[in-house]
Amino acid sequence: MSRRILIAGNWKMNCLQADGTALAADLASRMKSGSVKCDMLVCPPFTLLKGVLDAVAGSGIAVGGQDCHAAEKGAHTGDTSAWMLKDLGCAAVIVGHSERRTNHAETDAVVKAKAEAALAAGLMVIVCIGETLDERDAGKTLEVNRTQVQGSLPDGATAENTVIAYEPVWAIGTGRTATPDQAQEVHAAIRSELRGKLGEAAANGMRILYGGSMNAKNAADLLSQADIDGGLIGGAALKADDFWTIAQSCP
Ligand code: PGA
């Protein structure tokens, strides 16, 4: 089954308005004059969402949030709901990024609740999973990722509304990328776990992105792997040339 590649930029806590909207406008103008064979998504920080949505309007680039609360509304100071993202014009949201699991003590159960809120609000959800270096060194990579698939995926997940991002924690922002073989091994294990959980059709259709120091040089090799269906890109998503080169690397 052919899965359309998704190239998603996770801007994390970077860019002020001028830089963020300029980056978005740069990507939008490349989209209008060139062509890519993949879906494109950018996930800027909350403060930039409106400006970026305006800058990419009509370009085919979708915009998403980097996190959402599990509740629709209420007494949750500092949080943003999935419904608020949807209301603004967002198409997607990332949940369960390892930086949130670490910095905000988010468990699989919390991530699952957020993912279910995203689906209820009508957003596509990108659920992040991945092992730490200690877990890899202990030979627990596949087990950890299988457990996170079971614990973090929302009820109601389909190939259309849910994307998984496999991001080995040791590769995020370190310049140390998983080799294409290492990544493919985990992606294949994730897909086989999905087969048991969601059935053959959903497992075959669901996109599994790789994230962790993906860049303009290594993207083509990673994206050519059978079970790697795109990238969740941090550092290299902040440079239009690099992000565009990655998008052009789609097989
Ligand atoms: P990186 O980040 O590309 O800078 O490693 C990826 C991510 O954390 O999503």
Side-chain angles (χ1 to χ4, degrees):
M1 175 178 223
S2 78
R3 296 175 292 268
R4 189 167 164 84
I5 299 270
L6 170 62
I7 298 297
N10 173 13
W11 293 9
K12 308 193 181 187
M13 197 173 71
N14 291 296
C15 295
L16 299 180
Q17 291 188 75
D19 302 335
T21 49
L23 173 56
D26 188 337
L27 293 171
S29 78
R30 291 174 199 240
M31 281 289 277
K32 285 173 184 163
S33 54
S35 73
V36 288
K37 289 182 275 180
C38 57
D39 290 342
M40 298 278 278
L41 172 72
V42 291
C43 300
F46 289 127
T47 53
L48 300 185
L49 284 170
K50 183 74 177 85
V52 168
L53 278 159
D54 290 345
V56 302
S59 71
I61 299 175
V63 179
Q66 297 174 12
D67 178 49
C68 65
H69 195 276
E72 183 172 356
K73 61 183 174 181
H76 301 289
T77 303
D79 279 315
T80 302
S81 81
W83 285 261
M84 291 167 176
L85 294 174
K86 177 74 178 173
D87 178 53
L88 204 56
C90 289
V93 64
I94 300 167
V95 298
H97 191 282
S98 66
E99 286 152 14
R100 294 213 55 92
R101 289 178 187 259
T102 303
N103 297 347
H104 300 272
E106 292 189 6
T107 60
D108 281 340
V110 168
V111 174
K112 180 179 183 191
K114 290 181 174 204
E116 287 174 353
L119 297 189
L123 297 173
M124 183 180 84
V125 68
I126 300 179
V127 180
C128 301
I129 61 174
E131 82 286 357
T132 63
L133 190 54
D134 283 353
E135 289 164 341
R136 176 163 281 266
D137 288 345
K140 293 189 176 149
T141 296
L142 301 186
E143 178 192 330
V144 166
N145 283 285
R146 287 192 189 113
T147 302
Q148 290 184 354
V149 165
Q150 291 295 344
S152 305
L153 231 62
D155 287 351
T158 67
E160 290 72 37
N161 66 20
T162 302
V163 172
I164 294 177
Y166 165 58
E167 300 203 301
V169 178
W170 49 272
I172 295 177
T174 58
R176 195 180 153 193
T177 320
T179 64
D181 286 349
Q182 281 176 324
Q184 169 57 29
E185 182 195 16
V186 182
H187 281 236
I190 292 168
R191 199 174 304 288
S192 109
E193 193 71 14
L194 290 175
R195 232 167 243 129
K197 189 173 171 63
L198 303 175
E200 187 75 22
N204 286 342
M206 190 170 287
R207 291 179 289 190
I208 307 173
L209 314 184
Y210 170 80
S213 300
M214 188 184 267
N215 59 38
K217 291 205 175 81
N218 61 29
D221 282 346
L222 287 160
L223 293 171
S224 67
Q225 297 298 308
D227 288 290
I228 301 186
D229 310 313
L232 182 57
I233 297 125
L238 296 171
K239 296 186 201 111
D241 281 344
D242 289 3
F243 194 61
W244 190 249
T245 302
I246 294 170
Q248 299 284 341
S249 310
C250 294

